[in-house]
């Protein structure tokens, strides 16, 4: 209704104002003697300094995060190295304990190589430590000679015989142990079977006893329930007979309206004894309904009259609104014409100012010689 299409003009005015502001800022920068003489853009330099500071701050934060992560990695590496050293130390300790317990020198086959008395033990039996050393010319013992061969053979045969007997005894003992284990397992299996049979027998007897006891309990419970039902039926029959006798002898089935009146409140009735309304009560209700019907009809007529008045007021308001809209359209047209003339005047002023700038102010452009002279004087 009030739609005035001014969005395009508003945008154009905003764009013109923005260009005007940019032009003013540009003129201020160009006509500023300090900036023109020095020949630098302070805002650009400030922007560069700010960018460099932000970049340095980002690098410092990145280096700090990297240093924190490196410290964490160093701590983890130290922990791993310590754990590896502890594991190596424990392994070396176990190896040393094994060597001390299981790999003693006296238990090794090469123990004779480390025996300091090996040379004296290899001498003939008729020499002892008390004899003086006969010297190399006595020729008491020759290389390759085995004087204790018979003794060693007897000892080896005895050791072999002892080992053989021990193996036979071990085999016999293993057979005996295996037979005993088989016998014990058979006895255990038989005992378990007997125990399982006994338990199954006991379980069957217990199940039979439980079934018998449950049957007896069910029979007793059925008898008790039947007796209870019989007593309940007899009690219900007695109650029904008493109710029939009471209904037949009381005023409930009679047509006396005085029965339904309340004893302490005459305006109230007893619902379980009420026999209906009398003719006077029905006539009073119909009379009240007629009064209510007439009141409702009068109320309906008043509402109809009020609706008619509201409709007439709505029509008059709509007519006035149409007139106001017509006046508003005329005012908008006048405003559009005035706005167009004002925009045209602004455009002419801006064009004149631009012509003035181009023809008067911007005609004297500085040359390269001016800049060289200015730089020489500043030095």
């Amino acid at each position: 209704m009030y739609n005035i299409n001014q969005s395009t003009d508003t945008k154009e005015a905003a764009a013109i104002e923005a260009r005007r502001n940019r032009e003013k800022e540009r003129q201020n920068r160009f006509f500023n003697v300090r900036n023109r003489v020095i020949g630098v853009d302070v805002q650009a330099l400030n922007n560069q300094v700010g960018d460099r500071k932000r970049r340095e701050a980002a690098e410092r934060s990145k280096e700090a995060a990297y240093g924190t992560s490196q410290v964490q990695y160093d701590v983890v590496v130290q922990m791993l190295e310590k754990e590896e050293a502890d594991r190596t130390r424990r392994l070396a300790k176990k190896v040393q304990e094994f060597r001390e317990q299981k790999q003693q020198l006296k238990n090794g086959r090469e123990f004779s190589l480390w025996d300091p008395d090996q040379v004296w033990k290899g001498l003939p039996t008729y020499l002892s430590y008390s004899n003086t050393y006969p010297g190399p010319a006595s020729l008491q013992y020759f290389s390759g000679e085995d004087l204790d061969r018979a003794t060693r053979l007897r000892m080896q045969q005895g050791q072999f015989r002892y080992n053989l007997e021990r193996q036979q005894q071990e085999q016999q003992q293993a057979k005996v142990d295996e037979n005993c284990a088989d016998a014990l397992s058979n006895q255990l299996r038989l005992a378990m079977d007997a125990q399982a049979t006994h338990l199954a027998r006991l379980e069957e007897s217990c199940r039979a006893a439980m079934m018998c006891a449950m049957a007896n309990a069910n029979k007793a419970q059925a008898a008790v329930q039947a007796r209870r039902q019989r007593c309940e039926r007899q009690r219900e029959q007695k109650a029904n007979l008493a109710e029939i006798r009471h209904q037949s002898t009381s005023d409930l089935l009679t047509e006396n309206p005085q029965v339904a009146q309340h004893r302490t409140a005459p305006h109230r009735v007893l619902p379980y004894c009420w026999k209906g309304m009398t003719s006077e009560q029905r006539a009073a209700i119909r009379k009240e309904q007629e009064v209510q019907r007439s009141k409702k009809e009068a109320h309906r007529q008043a509402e109809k009259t009020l609706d008619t008045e509201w409709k007439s007021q709505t029509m008059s308001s709509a007519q006035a609104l149409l007139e106001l809209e017509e006046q508003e359209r005329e005012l908008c047209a006048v405003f559009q014409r005035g706005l167009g003339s004002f925009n045209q005047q602004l455009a002419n002023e801006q064009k004149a100012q631009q012509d003035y700038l181009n023809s008067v102010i911007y005609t004297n452009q500085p040359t390269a010689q001016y800049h060289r002279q200015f730089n020489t004087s500043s030095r």
Side-chain angles (χ1 to χ4, degrees), residues 95-194:
V95 170
Q96 185 64 25
E97 290 177 355
F98 178 78
R99 288 176 178 175
E100 291 177 356
Q101 295 176 3
K102 304 296 183 181
Q103 295 182 349
Q104 296 182 1
L105 185 60
K106 62 182 180 179
N107 297 329
R109 295 181 178 180
E110 64 277 4
F111 177 69
S112 59
L113 299 176
W114 302 96
D115 190 2
D117 298 333
Q118 182 181 5
V119 178
W120 293 102
K121 291 179 181 179
L123 293 175
T125 56
Y126 52 85
L127 292 178
S128 63
Y129 294 102
S130 60
N131 301 120
T132 58
Y133 186 69
S138 61
L139 298 177
Q140 298 290 326
Y141 181 74
F142 297 96
S143 177
E145 184 178 5
D146 191 3
L147 301 177
D148 297 333
R149 183 172 182 277
T151 305
R152 189 175 63 257
L153 290 176
R154 285 195 301 270
M155 290 177 63
Q156 289 178 357
Q157 289 176 0
Q159 185 67 28
F160 179 74
R161 190 180 301 105
Y162 173 75
N163 292 335
L164 184 59
E165 291 176 357
R166 188 168 181 178
Q167 288 179 3
Q168 291 177 356
Q169 291 177 2
E170 290 178 356
Q171 291 178 0
Q172 291 176 2
Q173 186 65 30
K175 288 182 180 179
V176 172
D177 294 340
E178 185 177 359
N179 294 330
C180 292
D182 293 339
L184 290 175
S185 62
N186 293 330
Q187 292 178 4
L188 181 61
R189 192 180 301 107
L190 292 174
M192 291 177 64
D193 293 340

Side-chain angles (χ1 to χ4, degrees), residues 284-339:
I285 290 173
R286 290 193 184 93
K287 184 176 180 181
E288 185 66 24
Q289 288 177 351
E290 288 295 333
V291 172
Q292 292 178 359
R293 189 180 298 108
S294 61
K295 288 182 180 180
K296 188 173 182 180
E297 185 65 27
H299 184 67
R300 187 184 298 109
Q301 291 295 331
E303 287 182 352
K304 187 176 181 181
T305 304
L306 184 63
D307 292 340
T308 304
E309 291 178 359
W310 273 107
K311 287 181 180 179
S312 62
Q313 290 181 3
T314 304
M315 293 295 293
S316 62
S317 299
Q319 186 67 28
L321 187 62
L322 290 174
E323 293 177 358
L324 288 175
E325 288 180 356
E326 185 66 26
Q327 294 177 2
E328 185 177 1
R329 280 195 295 272
E330 292 177 358
L331 290 175
C332 288
V334 173
F335 178 74
Q336 289 289 339
R337 288 193 295 272
L339 183 63

Side-chain angles (χ1 to χ4, degrees), residues 255-300:
E255 296 297 333
N256 185 11
Q258 299 297 329
V259 179
Q261 291 183 356
H262 203 277
R263 294 181 181 179
T264 59
H267 62 281
R268 296 177 60 186
V269 296
L270 300 176
Y272 55 88
C273 297
W274 191 56
K275 302 299 180 180
M277 293 184 297
T278 62
S279 58
E280 292 83 4
Q281 292 175 348
R282 287 194 291 271
I285 290 173
R286 290 193 184 93
K287 184 176 180 181
E288 185 66 24
Q289 288 177 351
E290 288 295 333
V291 172
Q292 292 178 359
R293 189 180 298 108
S294 61
K295 288 182 180 180
K296 188 173 182 180
E297 185 65 27
H299 184 67
R300 187 184 298 109

Side-chain angles (χ1 to χ4, degrees), residues 18-65:
R19 286 197 298 271
R20 188 181 293 114
N21 293 330
R22 289 197 298 272
E23 184 65 24
K24 288 181 179 179
E25 292 177 358
R26 180 169 174 270
Q27 290 178 5
N28 291 331
R29 289 198 305 271
F30 287 169
F31 297 149
N32 191 351
V33 179
R34 181 184 178 89
N35 295 336
R36 191 179 64 223
V37 170
I38 296 175
V40 295
D41 192 353
V42 179
Q43 186 66 26
L45 294 177
N46 293 332
N47 294 331
Q48 292 178 3
V49 172
D51 294 338
R52 187 180 62 187
K53 290 182 178 179
R54 285 192 295 271
R55 186 167 59 253
E56 291 177 355
E59 291 178 356
R60 284 195 299 270
S61 62
K62 187 184 297 184
E63 290 177 357

